[in-house]
Amino acid sequence: MENSRRRFLKIAGISALGVAGAKPVLDVFASGDSHGEAAKAQPEIRKGEKALTAKQWAMVIDTRKFKSGADLEPIIEACHKIHNVPDFMDKENPEFKEDNRRHVIKWIWEEEYNHAFPTGGEPFLNERIKHLPFLVLCNHCEDPPCVRACPTKATFKREDGIVVMDFHRCIGCRFCMAACPYGSRSFNFRDPRPFIKAEERNPEFPTRMKGVVEKCNFCAERLAVGQMPACVEASNGAIAFGDLYDPESEVRKLLASNFTIRRKDGLGTGPTVYYIV
Amino acid sequence: MASNKQMYDKGKVVAGLVIFVILITFPFWYNLGKAAPAPELKLTEKAKAEKTCVMSKEEMKAGHMQLLDIWRERVVRNADRTYVNESGKEYSMSLSNTCLDCHSNKAEFCDKCHNYVSVAPYCWDCHIDNPKEAKK
Amino acid sequence: MLEIAFKGTKRYYGWMIALASVIGVGFLCYLWQLKFGLGVTGMSRDVSWGFYIAQFTFLVGVAASAVMLVIPYYLHNYKAFGKITILGEFLAVASVSMCLMFIIADLGQPMRAFNVILNPTPGSILFWDMIVLNGYLLLNIVIGWNVLEAERNQVAPPAWIKPFIYLSVPWAVSIHTVTAFLYCGLPGRGFWLTAILAPRFLSSAFAAGPSFLILLCLLIRKISKFDPGKEQIQSLAKIVTYAIILNVFFFACEVFTVFYSNIPEHKDHFIYLFAGLHGHGVLVPWMWTSLTLMLLAIILLVIPASRKQEGVLAVACVFVFVGTWIDKGLGMISGGFVPNPMHHVSEYVPTIPEIIITLGVYATGFFILSVLFKLAVTIKEEVSA
């Protein structure tokens, strides 16, 4: 009994440190072991062995390899399925209404050139570009305005440059949505579960609850186990992914050998999704 | 004037106090002699075969919520996903895919006790509670 | 002092019960919103802030306007305002309370609101807005209460209150400046991305707040034995005149910059609001009404002969209040979201539940205002009797 109380206090202590995001979690685990259990190793929290790391993940989308919207569909579907993104516009859903359009959630989707790059507005655009759908997603900016705006650090920039959402912490103020100049963020205006088909749910990834903001996470959960993002895998080589600050990475080689553009470059956000046109 | 210690409306005040005391102790009277037995938790075959959890049984009983809290903080905010316990065994820090892999009987294992102590963790609003079934 | 609020005429009780029932209905709607999510409102992926945030923005202005009474009285020793400064401060208390309620109503996860304090983020303007609004609320409660209590006891207010009064002057400016900074620091929202936004907010605030106060003063004179005073009302009227002219002038500055530079990203929002864009323009009649009301009010206020007639002044004040409310409470927020960053036009119209919740918050604000004004007016009556 005495022993179990001591252990409980130990855990309580750890949790205080754990919430503060501190490493000493492990030390506290160890410090309690003054007798009998000293032979045991300290518990440890670390990255998986296969985890991929980078200084700043980046993406290069080769739009020359896409002919029509049909080429993009499998990519969008792969992403949305794997991340349990609800489909509010599924006409077979009993709760379908045309008005659901307001609540749509998108991580990656297609836009025409004039909408993906609205500052251009070229009237005599090349025919191929004019009708070519562009894939748009969160740009995982180097200097993200959404992160600046968030009052709780629920959205933040990780060490590897990915702009992540902490759904546990988001208060749903939607300041980040106003701050994002790319319209990359969606808000859960209602419980999304009824709009994710039960048999298609990916149990390895959570769904979201009502009242929080969500967006593309560059497949952080896949990088952690050594896999490339779902859209990259589904793109048949049209999308490259790698470390922007590794001169040997595939994205850097593509950037060196091709002319690329970024969305709303002039805003100083430093988008890390590049387009070869 | 100060020596006037008479109590006004004595009857009403006393009656009011009695009613107040009865009301506030009502839960005790109501539940008298009806103590619900602590639930027996059922382990799945897989959990039984495993013998020990991430931490010892006592530690898990008392502190699984703190452990989960650390896990979620580290997975989401530090991108650390591996937990190595005291005996050197590695676990992926995932509620749906590690915890519920063994304890796939959420209703018998998690809910029973949570209901007994009247807590409603909202984990399941997002984390899919029956990965096996959903996988099919 | 609070016991005064419980003693009142049948009319007073009737009014309070009416407010309470609106609050009740609003609260029920809020419970529904809490259960279903913000989907019960008209907001969308493209227009992610709506009526709640717009009312919040407008009311921050009404709250800040108390400073228009505090400055003349305490800094310029303009004695006449001593009589009504308390009304301005109590109006600020009621307005800031409404602001805070509107923010809570707008949160997707209101039970997590304390995360803002648990994870303080000085880089976020919303964090500062939380600080300045709560600070301003506290300042005005402390100042208003103590000054009024002193007046009731017919003694001078305690000396320690003076520094707080002086602090409340820059603090009032800060609440509306910080609120403007919420919007004008966002890249890619051309409508708000302008340094004139904070000055525009302040000028419209200093027009809307005092004009509402004039209407309240006229009402108080009618229903109580306390007369806020002819001179006081005329001085407020001059403040409204300057402020509304400045507001329209700042708006004109913005229009010049936007249209002469001809940059579509800034221009399209104005086109949407005043002419409609790609066939969408629910706000067009509203925006023109707003502009017309403000211009008419200027004419009525600038001419001394008409300003001095209290009937005309009241009409001008209604014009100012409604005009600035449309400008900020309808146009300012949705105008910034339409067109969206990808230049798609999806419009925003508030839904019925959203409007009922909004009315519920306003009713709560008026409830607080009625209690506080009842205190102030009763004490003024006592003292002068």
Side-chain angles (χ1 to χ4, degrees), chain C residues 8 31 46 91 157 175 234 249 267 286 299 318 337 367:
Chain C
L31 289 180
D46 287 335
L91 177 58
I175 62 167
Q234 283 304 315
F249 170 66
K267 209 174 55 175
W286 291 91
I299 296 170
V318 170
F337 283 109
F367 195 94

Side-chain angles (χ1 to χ4, degrees), chain A residues 26 29-30 33 37-44, chain B residues 84-89:
Chain A
L26 322 168
F29 255 118
D33 295 341
E37 304 160 54
K40 284 188 177 173
Q42 295 176 8
E44 194 191 338
Chain B
V84 189
N85 74 359
E86 287 183 334
S87 30
K89 195 164 181 220

Side-chain angles (χ1 to χ4, degrees), chain B residues 25-131:
Chain B
T25 53
F26 176 73
F28 295 102
W29 304 118
Y30 184 75
N31 287 314
L32 202 65
K34 285 196 282 192
E40 282 285 315
L41 293 189
K42 272 195 197 134
L43 287 178
T44 56
E45 289 307 317
K46 192 167 180 187
K48 273 184 201 155
E50 203 68 28
K51 293 224 169 53
T52 83
C53 196
V54 177
M55 297 191 294
S56 75
K57 193 175 161 191
E58 290 74 32
E59 283 172 319
M60 287 310 285
K61 255 187 187 168
H64 64 279
M65 51 302 238
Q66 281 97 339
L67 185 77
L68 284 171
D69 201 40
I70 298 172
W71 279 20
R72 81 169 182 189
E73 193 79 8
R74 296 296 292 259
V75 169
V76 176
R77 304 196 74 88
N78 296 50
D80 300 329
R81 286 181 188 249
T82 304
Y83 181 85
V84 189
N85 74 359
E86 287 183 334
S87 30
K89 195 164 181 220
E90 285 190 18
Y91 297 89
S92 161
M93 297 195 282
S94 164
L95 173 64
S96 284
N97 304 300
T98 303
C99 305
L100 289 196
D101 185 37
C102 272
H103 304 292
S104 50
N105 53 341
K106 174 177 168 274
E108 292 287 307
F109 189 76
C110 312
D111 296 351
K112 226 177 180 180
C113 207
H114 288 158
N115 291 342
Y116 177 67
V117 294
S118 188
V119 292
Y122 64 82
C123 309
W124 320 108
D125 282 9
C126 302
H127 294 276
I128 292 170
D129 55 15
N130 208 337

Side-chain angles (χ1 to χ4, degrees), chain C residues 55-72 85 87-99 129 132-137 139-140 143 165-180 197-213 236 239 243 321 328:
Chain C
Q55 303 316 305
F56 150 78
T57 309
F58 176 73
L59 289 166
V60 171
V62 175
S65 72
V67 78
M68 286 291 104
L69 296 163
V70 172
I71 290 179
T85 307
L87 300 182
E89 283 157 351
F90 280 171
L91 177 58
V93 172
S95 308
V96 181
S97 310
M98 286 190 264
C99 293
D129 215 31
V132 293
L133 284 176
N134 283 296
Y136 192 66
L137 178 62
L139 271 177
N140 276 289
I143 295 169
I165 292 171
Y166 294 139
L167 179 64
S168 79
V169 173
W171 204 290
V173 179
S174 84
I175 62 167
H176 220 15
T177 307
V178 173
T179 304
L197 202 69
R200 246 184 98 187
F201 274 18
L202 283 165
S203 60
S204 89
F206 295 158
S211 69
F212 188 57
L213 209 55
L236 279 174
I239 292 171
F321 193 78
K328 257 173 165 172

Side-chain angles (χ1 to χ4, degrees), chain A residues 87-116:
Chain A
D87 181 7
F88 283 95
M89 300 315 283
D90 176 12
K91 290 199 170 68
E92 285 159 29
N93 193 301
E95 293 192 48
F96 171 80
K97 278 190 310 231
E98 191 50 43
D99 191 42
N100 288 351
R101 191 173 297 283
R102 291 191 294 127
H103 303 151
V104 159
I105 287 175
K106 303 187 262 196
W107 283 33
I108 181 167
W109 70 101
E110 53 173 82
E111 289 282 351
E112 280 178 9
Y113 175 84
N114 278 332
H115 292 291

